[in-house]
Amino acid sequence: MWTATASRYTLRMNTPAFDHTLYAGCAAQIISHTRELAAKGWMPATAGNFSIRMGAEHAAITISGKDKARLSEADIMVVDMQNNPVATHHRPSAEAALHTHLYRLFPEVGAVLHTHSPTQTISSLLYARDGQVLLRDYELFKALRGHTTHEAELALPVVPNAQDMDVLTASVDKALAGRDTWGYLIAGHGLYAWGRDINEARRHLEAFEFMLSCDLELRKLQR
Ligand SMILES: CSC[C@@H](O)[C@@H](O)C(=O)COP(=O)(O)O
Ligand SMILES: [Zn+2]
């Protein structure tokens, strides 16, 4: 009797809070994508944050305030879907709530990427009052999951920036209601893009960046 109780206790003590092999794989993917995107100048200073879903309850996410060009595994931590750190004393990204919001909202979302390129930031300010950027007729729509033709119009939402994550999450929630999008801009801030996995999220991020930069060039030419 005593042995059985003790062994159950031992079993519980040895059960890790999350799957470490899965975490290490997620961390490696986050590190390689952040390095490549930082090299493009899309994450100046310590801007940007990345995450990958680890099942229904957890996500691997960048620790707050790190230089995203130089991350190592120790700079990636685990949070639960309410943004609580899991088995660590580190502080998650200041914007972890925006990541877990997307994971809670869309069960198919497997990765969320956030960058601050000049194009994303300028577009977000130009279109802040409109609340969206209307993109039309781009062949690159086909890089977005579910899109098969350039003959379309896509409204990329723009939400007001806020330092209070409850306020920001509420704005995003409202902006996404009834919309079919793989991203949104935050005014004066940057772009959030997501996908079923990190490769798809990266493809969506790059497609939005490309279309936004074309839009800015067109505006200059049309003046
Ligand atoms: C360096 S200012 C940018 C931050 O305020 C924030 O917007 C950001 O993207 C990075 O925050 P972080 O807490 O490192 O994930
Ligand atoms: Zn940011």
Side-chain angles (χ1 to χ4, degrees):
M1 185 66 187
W2 182 87
T3 312
T5 308
S7 73
R8 268 205 301 276
Y9 181 70
T10 307
L11 187 67
R12 214 166 35 237
M13 288 297 282
N14 288 340
T15 302
F18 54 83
D19 177 340
H20 196 272
T21 309
L22 176 61
Y23 156 78
C26 293
Q29 291 187 73
I30 289 174
I31 290 164
S32 100
H33 284 279
T34 44
R35 275 199 195 134
E36 289 171 16
L37 292 172
K40 289 174 182 274
W42 295 8
M43 286 184 277
T46 60
N49 32 70
F50 282 31
S51 72
I52 298 181
R53 183 198 282 278
M54 293 169 55
E57 291 177 15
H58 297 131
I61 189 164
T62 43
I63 287 176
S64 186
K66 298 286 177 176
D67 178 348
K68 309 308 183 306
R70 300 173 180 194
L71 297 181
S72 66
E73 189 180 294
D75 300 318
I76 317 294
M77 60 179 284
V78 176
V79 288
D80 66 20
M81 292 305 172
Q82 280 70 47
N83 321 309
N84 301 305
V86 176
T88 175
H89 295 297
H90 288 299
R91 194 158 47 93
S93 166
E95 293 160 6
L98 298 181
H99 292 247
T100 55
H101 170 246
L102 290 167
Y103 293 131
R104 291 194 310 269
L105 201 56
F106 305 120
E108 75 276 18
V109 171
V112 179
L113 310 182
H114 166 55
T115 52
H116 287 217
S117 78
T119 293
Q120 294 156 15
T121 309
I122 294 165
S123 294
S124 71
L125 286 170
L126 266 178
Y127 293 103
R129 254 196 244 165
D130 298 340
Q132 60 182 26
V133 187
L134 270 185
L135 301 166
R136 284 192 196 93
D137 299 332
Y138 286 107
E139 178 68 9
L140 240 72
F141 283 158
K142 287 158 64 186
L144 303 174
R145 182 170 172 74
H147 292 258
T148 53
T149 175
H150 65 282
E151 291 176 308
E153 191 176 80
L154 194 145
L156 181 67
V158 185
V159 301
N161 200 8
Q163 298 305 323
D164 181 328
M165 285 305 123
D166 291 340
V167 172
L168 195 45
T169 307
S171 300
V172 171
D173 204 48
K174 199 168 143 208
L176 294 185
R179 286 218 222 206
D180 180 18
T181 182
W182 291 102
Y184 59 80
L185 287 167
I186 306 176
H189 185 157
L191 175 68
Y192 270 82
W194 56 91
R196 289 168 313 157
D197 57 31
I198 196 163
N199 292 324
E200 188 172 88
R202 165 86 178 254
R203 197 178 78 224
H204 292 164
L205 185 84
E206 291 200 9
F208 283 130
E209 168 76 15
F210 176 83
M211 292 187 277
L212 291 173
S213 76
C214 289
D215 178 74
L216 290 186
E217 284 303 313
L218 277 173
R219 280 182 66 124
K220 280 190 229 160
L221 292 169
Q222 286 164 350
R223 275 203 326 201

